[in-house]
Amino acid sequence: MLLIDKACKMLGVPSDMVLKQFGEYFFEFCKRSGYDHMLRTLGGNLYEFIENLDSLHSYLSLSYQEMNAPSFRVENNEDGSMHLHYYSDRRGLCHIVPGIIGAAALDFFNTEISMEIVNQTEEEERTGKKEHTVFLVTQKPVFSYNKRDKFSSLPQYHADSGRQSEKLLNKDLEKAVNKIRDRTSLVPVRPVKKSHWETIRGIVTLGKGKLLRGFDPVYPKTLWIDTKTFCNGLPFHIVFDKELRVKQAGVSIQKIVPGLQTMGIHLDHYFSIVHPEVTFTISSVQKFINSQFVFRTRREMMPESWKRRPMLELRGQMIWMESLQCMLYLCSPLLRTLHELEERQMHIADIAPHDVTRDLILLNQQRLAEMELSNQLERKKEELRILSKHLEEEKKKTEALLYAMLPKHVANQLKEGKRVEAGEFKECTILFSDVVTFTNICAQCEPIQIVLMLNSMYLRFDRLTTVHDVYKVETIGDAYMVVGGVPVPVSTHAERVANFSLGMIIAAKEVKNPVSGNPIQIRVGIHTGPVLAGVVGEKMPRYCLFGDTVNIASRMESHGVPSKIHLSTSAYRCLKDKNFEIMERGEIEVKGKGKMHTYYLIKNRTATENEILGRPIRDSDSGPESIPSFQESRTEVIENACQQAMQPNSGEDQPLAIAMKYVDGPTDVQGACKGRNQARIMDVTGICTAVMVSKYILWLRIFIMAMYPHVFLMLQV
């Protein structure tokens, strides 16, 4: 009703108009929803249509057991009008009825009606608290829709439509009666003064315009059926008089309610009326005699064997026998399923073979079985959808772990079952780093402190691999190995690794030594040369680099000095003309290699610290040392939203990783390494989340990951 009130305020129309329009729309909606044929077959005229609405609602309640439908009762008047009684516990909706009934009369019976409320009270004839509205319904036949629309445009149509329709009906009726008189003299035509519609209803049209007289039933002089056969043939029936005293009952209902075997008992002592909700008096029953009646047995009057069973409900019609001044209740058990039949310890044999209740129970049982199969199918589909979703999530986790172990294109080849051939790279740049005095730190700290220190350092280094698009080969303890130009060859491999190493030195200053509390110091060694790369192993494959270049890079790191980037001669040659500031160290003795001329990388003359670290560029960074080409080449790559989750206890905010764009790099640097770095992020995020759940177990897992990465990956698999 709140919705109706709002609509009335917005449209500026009364509520009865809105409700009437809604009723017309609801009728059309029911037709479109598949109830068109059912509604058309309710009756041959408007009276029969309204009279059987309650039966339709009773049928629908078999499928919609919680349905709370209104009730209709119609009375014919001598002048051809009708009184429609509308009962509903939804107060204020009575104006929907003219819309529904009017639309049905116009569509099904080509009749226009007018309905006005003559009485509206809280009814007394029913036991339920329902709103009782009485409508006066008058009918006016109309032409077909096309003719009606044509004539309705004439000026005198509204004034003369009643007289014109009456003249046409009289003329057609006179022709029909004359044809009957001319074609047969054996059937006398009795002049009867009836209304036009009553006369027309008595004429049956068969074939092409053949008219026959109305149907007259023939009754035998005596009833050719004995009492025993009648009570057995109709096992569910009750005859009672005006005082509700039982005069006769069927054998099956006597079996269920033994008290009915005592003739003269009062029917309302053993039964209560469920539908319609009227008082159990003969006058109330006569008012609703066209309605379908549902009786329910009273528990207190049932035998002991029925005390714990559901009560039996009977559904049927009332027939008033004027000559006997008694009411005949022809009924059947109101049962929907075999389960309800079993609950009442009844059998199909208790129901008469001619009773359609048998078919109703069996068909409804089949329908319920089909519905259950359909529900099971829907549940299985939902389970499959959830499993598919979980499978997709697990697949992503597996791919993330795989991409963390192997280059993405190599991992994809392995997933497809292809053999990954070893590749030779004529030139690449390899970097090694380690923590200065790491052994002493481990001796003076708890293992968890070492793990936290390494985790904090490696997270920063991993972020730098995204900024400069270099490949992280592995970590062994405090050693960190990176390569540029592998597995994707690029000409700027030395520049990428050099910028990455500068970022490592800066990032290491943010990691504290757990012993002294000062920033840790790292040694970095870089060498450029050829390598052989390929996948090693099947159960736990690794993408490994082989060749003397790896050994020399490791020697550069081990022979370096704290917080310095140690370059070999080949690495120096690749960087000397690339705007890097390099200082000569001189000739040193290298274990296993003899004397080598080496250098120190100091800084990048053209890139700021924020650019090297992949941080957003601030206005203060635009100085004389900044070159516009570097600022223009910056592009945002990934939203590092999960960086905070990787350090839940550190309280440090990780900024977005802004990738440096090199001259030979793809236009979207993030596209080339997004999968690998996201995989690393997801892997570390999962570890750090586990810290919050199980502290000590996580420390062990992280310690194994840092000290023995191969063992950790094997445990993960």
Side-chain angles (χ1 to χ4, degrees):
M1 293 306 296
L2 292 176
L3 181 61
I4 297 297
D5 293 339
K6 294 294 184 181
C8 294
K9 291 179 180 178
M10 292 181 63
L11 300 175
V13 296
S15 60
D16 56 344
M17 183 179 297
V18 175
L19 289 171
K20 183 179 180 181
Q21 291 292 325
F22 174 78
E24 295 176 358
Y25 171 79
F26 181 74
F27 173 75
E28 294 296 329
F29 171 77
C30 292
K31 287 177 56 181
R32 292 195 303 267
S33 300
Y35 295 97
D36 184 27
H37 295 292
M38 185 181 297
L39 291 171
R40 289 182 184 276
T41 55
L42 283 184
N45 53 50
L46 185 60
Y47 178 85
E48 295 175 351
F49 175 83
I50 300 174
E51 193 177 45
N52 288 282
L53 280 178
D54 282 7
S55 299
L56 174 63
H57 292 154
S58 177
Y59 165 76
L60 294 177
S61 65
L62 296 175
S63 299
Y64 310 100
Q65 298 186 15
E66 300 299 326
M67 184 177 69
N68 183 15
S71 180
F72 297 89
R73 179 167 66 88
V74 63
E75 298 174 348
N76 262 328
N77 300 326
E78 294 182 357
D79 58 355
S81 62
M82 295 181 293
H83 277 106
L84 172 60
H85 297 259
Y86 166 75
Y87 304 89
S88 175
D89 55 5
R90 300 181 181 91
R91 288 163 176 74
L93 299 181
C94 61
H95 295 286
I96 294 179
V97 178
I100 297 176
I101 302 300
L106 189 61
D107 192 331
F108 295 160
F109 312 112
N110 200 23
T111 302
E112 288 184 349
I113 64 170
S114 63
M115 297 180 63
E116 58 176 315
I117 298 177
V118 295
N119 190 16
Q120 188 172 11
T121 59
E122 288 287 340
E123 44 75 29
E124 299 176 355
E125 57 194 10
R126 298 173 65 106
T127 58
K129 294 292 184 179
K130 294 183 179 292
E131 182 183 62
H132 179 197
T133 305
V134 182
F135 295 92
L136 177 62
V137 183
T138 56
Q139 304 181 63
K140 180 176 64 175
V142 297
F143 300 109
S144 64
Y145 291 107
N146 295 334
K147 291 183 179 180
R148 186 178 73 244
D149 294 340
K150 178 179 178 181
F151 283 106
S152 61
S153 61
L154 298 177
Q156 298 179 350
Y157 170 74
H158 295 287
D160 301 337
S161 59
R163 291 192 298 271
Q164 290 176 356
S165 59
E166 186 177 357
K167 290 180 180 179
L168 289 174
L169 288 172
N170 287 333
K171 186 176 180 180
D172 293 340
L173 179 61
E174 184 178 354
K175 289 181 179 180
V177 173
N178 290 335
K179 286 183 180 180
I180 296 174
R181 184 184 295 112
D182 294 340
R183 296 188 62 176
T184 174
S185 59
L186 299 177
V187 182
V189 180
R190 294 170 294 176
V192 180
K193 291 186 178 181
K194 296 183 178 180
S195 65
H196 305 307
W197 289 107
E198 289 179 350
T199 305
I200 291 175
R201 283 186 59 200
I203 300 174
V204 180
T205 303
L206 299 174
K208 297 182 179 179
K210 296 180 180 180
L211 302 178
L212 301 178
R213 64 184 178 86
F215 169 74
D216 290 329
V218 176
Y219 300 103
K221 294 182 179 179
T222 59
L223 188 62
W224 288 88
I225 184 172
D226 60 275
T227 306
K228 183 177 180 181
T229 303
F230 187 86
C231 292
N232 285 311
L234 298 174
F236 289 94
H237 80 277
I238 304 174
V239 178
F240 56 95
D241 59 13
K242 291 183 177 182
E243 285 75 27
L244 304 181
R245 289 193 298 266
V246 176
K247 299 296 184 180
Q248 181 178 313
V251 293
S252 292
I253 198 170
Q254 292 180 30
K255 179 181 177 181
I256 298 172
V257 187
L260 296 179
Q261 293 179 315
T262 304
M263 299 304 166
I265 63 169
H266 286 269
L267 187 62
D268 56 344
H269 291 173
Y270 287 85
F271 292 93
S272 60
I273 299 179
V274 177
H275 179 83
E277 298 177 13
V278 298
T279 55
F280 209 150
T281 61
I282 198 69
S283 59
S284 297
V285 172
Q286 286 179 330
K287 286 183 180 180
F288 292 85
I289 197 168
N290 292 322
S291 299
Q292 192 175 68
F293 277 80
V294 177
F295 282 8
R296 179 185 294 156
T297 54
R298 294 184 180 274
R299 188 174 297 274
E300 63 272 13
M301 302 301 293
M302 296 297 289
E304 287 295 329
S305 59
W306 273 82
K307 291 298 183 181
R308 297 183 180 180
R309 303 182 199 171
M311 290 295 97
L312 176 67
E313 291 186 352
L314 303 174
R315 178 181 61 185
Q317 71 174 117
M318 295 288 182
I319 301 175
W320 175 248
M321 298 180 290
E322 184 66 29
S323 59
L324 300 177
Q325 292 293 298
C326 288
M327 187 73 72
L328 171 62
Y329 181 44
L330 288 175
C331 57
S332 299
L334 182 56
L335 302 172
R336 301 177 179 87
T337 62
L338 293 175
H339 178 67
E340 294 181 1
L341 192 70
E342 293 174 351
E343 284 182 332
R344 291 155 180 82
Q345 296 185 7
M346 295 177 60
H347 304 86
I348 292 289
D350 295 329
I351 305 173
H354 64 80
D355 196 337
V356 295
T357 304
R358 288 187 171 203
D359 298 332
L360 176 64
I361 294 173
L362 296 176
L363 290 175
N364 197 40
Q365 186 68 26
Q366 180 182 359
R367 182 182 66 88
L368 292 176
E370 293 174 352
M371 289 176 61
E372 179 60 26
L373 289 176
S374 177
N375 292 335
Q376 290 181 8
L377 180 61
E378 290 297 325
R379 288 194 296 268
K380 292 298 181 184
K381 285 175 59 179
E382 182 64 18
E383 291 176 4
L384 287 176
R385 187 189 67 81
I386 295 174
L387 289 176
S388 177
K389 183 179 178 181
H390 291 169
L391 179 62
E392 189 66 25
E393 293 175 355
E394 295 301 324
K395 181 181 177 182
K396 290 180 179 179
K397 293 179 182 179
T398 304
E399 290 179 349
L401 181 59
L402 187 61
Y403 293 154
M405 297 167 54
L406 300 169
K408 187 172 183 179
H409 72 282
V410 174
N412 290 335
Q413 290 181 9
L414 290 176
K415 285 197 305 181
E416 294 172 3
K418 298 180 181 178
R419 181 180 178 83
V420 181
E421 300 292 339
E424 183 179 356
F425 297 84
K426 294 183 178 180
E427 190 176 64
C428 68
T429 301
I430 298 177
L431 175 148
F432 276 92
S433 74
D434 71 344
V435 179
V436 179
T437 67
F438 180 71
T439 305
N440 296 334
I441 295 174
C442 291
Q444 302 177 42
C445 296
E446 295 292 332
I448 185 58
Q449 294 176 297
I450 303 300
V451 173
L452 289 176
M453 179 192 74
L454 291 177
N455 188 53
S456 177
M457 180 179 68
Y458 288 158
L459 288 179
R460 289 170 170 81
F461 292 173
D462 290 345
R463 180 176 176 276
L464 289 173
T465 61
T466 302
V467 176
H468 302 285
D469 193 20
V470 292
Y471 179 65
K472 173 185 174 182
V473 181
E474 61 181 349
T475 57
I476 303 176
D478 63 322
Y480 196 92
M481 180 180 177
V482 167
V483 63
V486 176
V488 180
V490 289
S491 60
T492 57
H493 53 84
E495 299 173 52
R496 295 171 185 270
V497 174
N499 287 326
F500 174 79
S501 63
L502 293 172
M504 292 177 73
I505 299 297
I506 299 172
K509 296 177 181 178
E510 301 175 359
V511 181
K512 302 298 182 182
N513 186 326
V515 177
S516 63
N518 299 323
I520 63 171
Q521 291 181 313
I522 63 172
R523 288 190 299 261
V524 180
I526 299 176
H527 176 63
T528 300
V531 296
L532 185 68
V535 178
V536 177
E538 291 182 356
K539 290 189 176 180
M540 193 172 69
R542 298 291 297 175
Y543 190 73
C544 298
L545 306 181
F546 303 94
D548 194 51
T549 302
V550 179
N551 296 329
I552 296 175
S554 179
R555 295 290 187 268
M556 290 297 102
E557 174 263 320
S558 61
H559 289 74
V561 297
S563 301
K564 292 288 186 179
I565 302 169
H566 197 196
L567 301 179
S568 67
T569 303
S570 59
Y572 166 74
R573 285 196 296 265
C574 292
L575 296 174
K576 64 180 181 179
D577 298 325
K578 303 296 183 180
N579 296 317
F580 287 96
E581 182 179 335
I582 302 174
M583 183 179 68
E584 183 177 0
R585 181 181 184 182
E587 196 173 77
I588 63 171
E589 183 71 25
V590 178
K591 182 180 178 180
K593 298 298 178 182
K595 294 186 180 295
M596 293 184 65
H597 205 81
T598 60
Y599 303 83
Y600 289 130
L601 176 63
I602 305 302
K603 67 177 181 179
N604 187 327
R605 296 191 183 97
T606 58
T608 64
E609 180 178 309
N610 284 333
E611 287 178 316
I612 292 175
L613 295 177
R615 295 170 180 168
I617 305 301
R618 296 173 296 186
D619 295 338
S620 59
D621 296 329
S622 57
E625 295 183 354
S626 299
I627 296 180
S629 61
F630 276 89
Q631 296 180 2
E632 294 174 359
S633 65
R634 293 196 307 270
T635 176
E636 295 183 2
V637 289
I638 61 172
E639 294 184 1
N640 210 357
C642 54
Q643 289 288 343
Q644 296 180 1
M646 293 191 296
Q647 300 186 31
N649 298 323
S650 64
E652 301 176 6
D653 294 330
Q654 293 291 332
L656 297 176
I658 308 299
M660 289 185 68
K661 184 178 179 182
Y662 295 87
V663 293
D664 59 351
T667 55
D668 185 6
V669 181
Q670 176 258 351
C673 57
K674 178 180 179 181
R676 181 176 73 247
N677 291 288
Q678 282 187 345
R680 294 170 182 161
I681 290 171
M682 290 176 62
D683 190 43
V684 179
T685 303
I687 296 173
C688 295
T689 304
V691 173
M692 303 171 63
V693 179
S694 181
K695 178 178 178 181
Y696 298 103
I697 295 177
L698 175 64
W699 297 146
L700 179 60
R701 286 167 57 89
I702 300 179
F703 181 73
I704 294 174
M705 179 186 71
M707 303 302 293
Y708 306 99
H710 297 286
V711 177
F712 174 77
L713 290 174
M714 189 184 345
L715 292 175
Q716 287 289 80
V717 175

